[in-house]
Amino acid sequence: MKELKELVRPNIWALKPYSCARDEFKGVKADVFIDANENPYNNNVNRYPDPLQEKVKSLISPLKGVPADNIFLGNGSDEAIDIVFRVFCCPGVDNVVAINPTYGMYQVCAETNDVEYRSVLLNYDYSFSPESLLAACDENTKVIFICSPNNPTGNAFTRESIETVLNGFEGLVVVDEAYSDFCGQRPFRLDLDRYPNIIVLNTFSKAWGAAGIRLGMAFASKEIIGFFNKVKYPYNVNVLTQKKAVEILTDTAVLQRHIAMILEERSSIMQAFSVLPICERIYPTDANFFLAKMTDADKIYRYLVEKGIIVRNRNHVVLCENCLRVTIGTKEENSKLLSALRQYK
């Protein structure tokens, strides 16, 4: 890995971060707060939230096996993705490399930040070639993005292939593990000490069942997290989100129960799909969704919409021709989907 100073944008390296009122005292128990121009009348949301979400991080740390200093929390994983560009990529100069197809926000953030986005096509079995990813890089490549399990294909990549990229690239590698709770593979967030150039993403939106609170996580070296905190908005995670996160994190039995139910339903619905005359192929998955190749994805998608059932049409995504992406729902939702497809003519 290059020295961090070579990877961080020079203006960000020199940036003096904004100091909010809640940053300017530590280790003091106070009961009078007249420093931040807030309304003093308590209604549970009249005070600014903790800018570094220390309570939430203290609960995440033991669950994820990552020290609190190595955790960044943002407004969904999308904030962390955008911050990667703002910290490391010089607009109009640098580029990033990613697999294709994959999660679309990597490219959106690249284009928003005026950073060249280079995509490398997956193999037809949805694996990727580490050598092809590395060959797409040049001296201005700052970041490689790998989503594993991948969206929309659903498969997790082998640790060996990701490790080859980590060991062969001098820049930063973002491993997006949004769906890792549904996968039996060892998560890369547990290997931060082995790979100083890794940034691992995770989210409350999938297994935790909390997409509505918009809370994403990034795990990286303390130094990288320091730069994330340097450029983020002062109060990027609101009071209501932090309170709900604490509530969720104190009842992990629900998480494990939901994961088990989703995995059981995943197996059942994929088996049912495999015998549908209109389904040509089911792709292996390590996520809470699967990709199914249909006889006519566009027509079947419109038919389901008319029935009030919404799946994701991926027909126009490269390597996903005639494919529908199906998220695992409740037993009742899955039964309604299968019933409608069995009646399709």
Side-chain angles (χ1 to χ4, degrees):
M1 177 184 173
K2 292 180 179 178
E3 292 292 327
L4 200 55
K5 190 171 184 178
E6 295 180 69
L7 296 172
V8 175
R9 290 169 54 182
N11 63 304
I12 301 300
W13 187 273
L15 177 68
K16 183 178 179 180
Y18 174 76
S19 179
C20 64
R22 296 298 183 260
D23 282 330
E24 295 179 359
F25 70 93
K26 295 290 181 184
V28 177
K29 186 175 181 180
D31 57 7
V32 176
F33 294 96
I34 50 176
D35 60 337
N37 303 336
E38 301 153 322
N39 185 317
Y41 299 104
N42 182 28
N43 61 1
N44 294 319
V45 293
N46 62 309
R47 299 294 183 186
Y48 285 112
D50 175 3
L52 293 177
Q53 312 93 32
E54 291 180 356
K55 176 64 175 178
V56 183
K57 290 178 182 177
S58 73
L59 295 173
I60 290 173
S61 177
L63 290 173
K64 294 293 186 179
V66 178
D69 286 344
N70 295 84
I71 302 172
F72 169 83
L73 298 180
N75 185 354
S77 296
D78 293 340
E79 181 181 3
I81 293 167
D82 185 58
I83 283 181
V84 168
F85 286 92
R86 291 196 283 134
V87 170
F88 297 106
C89 300
C90 293
V93 176
D94 293 327
N95 66 74
V96 301
V97 170
I99 56 174
N100 185 27
T102 195
Y103 181 44
M105 277 304 295
Y106 310 141
Q107 183 167 1
V108 170
C109 286
E111 293 175 355
T112 301
N113 287 280
D114 192 22
V115 173
E116 181 189 356
Y117 184 85
R118 299 179 177 183
S119 62
V120 177
L121 200 64
L122 293 176
N123 300 320
Y124 281 101
D125 63 355
Y126 293 153
S127 64
F128 77 88
S129 164
E131 293 74 22
S132 296
L133 271 185
L134 294 170
C137 302
D138 61 20
E139 64 276 7
N140 291 323
T141 305
K142 287 290 187 68
V143 186
I144 294 176
F145 286 91
I146 302 173
C147 184
S148 180
N150 188 35
N151 178 11
T153 59
N155 59 307
F157 302 113
T158 65
R159 283 185 62 88
E160 291 75 17
S161 61
I162 297 175
E163 287 170 346
T164 298
V165 175
L166 284 163
N167 291 321
F169 183 52
E170 293 186 329
L172 296 162
V173 179
V174 174
V175 180
D176 190 340
E177 294 184 336
Y179 303 95
S180 62
D181 292 294
F182 306 102
C183 175
Q185 197 176 92
R186 174 184 169 89
F188 273 94
R189 70 170 184 274
L190 300 179
D191 297 322
L192 298 182
D193 56 340
R194 292 180 57 196
Y195 301 108
N197 61 331
I198 196 171
I199 300 170
V200 180
L201 304 181
N202 208 198
T203 179
F204 276 71
S205 297
K206 313 303 178 187
W208 288 97
I213 72 171
R214 306 308 303 130
L215 187 61
M217 296 166 271
F219 308 104
S221 70
K222 184 177 179 180
E223 291 75 21
I224 290 175
I225 295 300
F227 281 103
F228 274 44
N229 289 331
K230 196 175 187 181
V231 303
K232 75 174 184 69
Y233 292 127
Y235 304 106
N236 62 320
V237 180
N238 69 68
V239 168
L240 300 178
T241 290
Q242 292 190 44
K243 287 182 177 179
K244 188 62 179 180
V246 168
E247 177 186 325
I248 291 169
L249 288 162
T250 54
D251 191 3
T252 56
V254 173
L255 169 71
Q256 298 305 323
R257 186 165 65 250
H258 285 173
I259 291 173
M261 292 166 64
I262 288 169
L263 292 179
E264 182 180 352
E265 278 297 296
R266 185 180 76 182
S267 176
S268 175
I269 191 173
M270 289 177 69
Q271 175 61 33
F273 252 75
S274 68
V275 298
L276 289 172
I278 57 175
C279 180
E280 296 182 347
R281 181 176 180 183
I282 302 289
Y283 291 92
T285 184
D286 299 288
N288 67 330
F289 63 87
F290 65 93
L291 204 61
K293 187 175 180 66
M294 312 300 285
T295 53
D296 188 335
D298 288 344
K299 188 176 179 182
I300 295 168
Y301 173 78
R302 290 193 296 269
Y303 165 79
L304 289 174
V305 170
E306 291 172 0
K307 296 284 186 178
I309 302 169
I310 311 301
V311 297
R312 195 77 189 269
N313 187 359
R314 301 284 77 185
N315 182 37
H316 303 292
V317 175
V318 64
L319 296 182
C320 298
E321 291 81 7
N322 259 335
C323 285
L324 298 178
R325 193 191 72 190
V326 181
T327 303
I328 307 305
T330 63
K331 281 183 179 291
E332 293 74 19
E333 290 170 332
N334 298 336
S335 294
K336 186 175 181 181
L337 168 65
L338 290 169
S339 176
L341 291 174
R342 286 166 181 151
Q343 298 174 52
Y344 176 83
K345 296 178 181 179

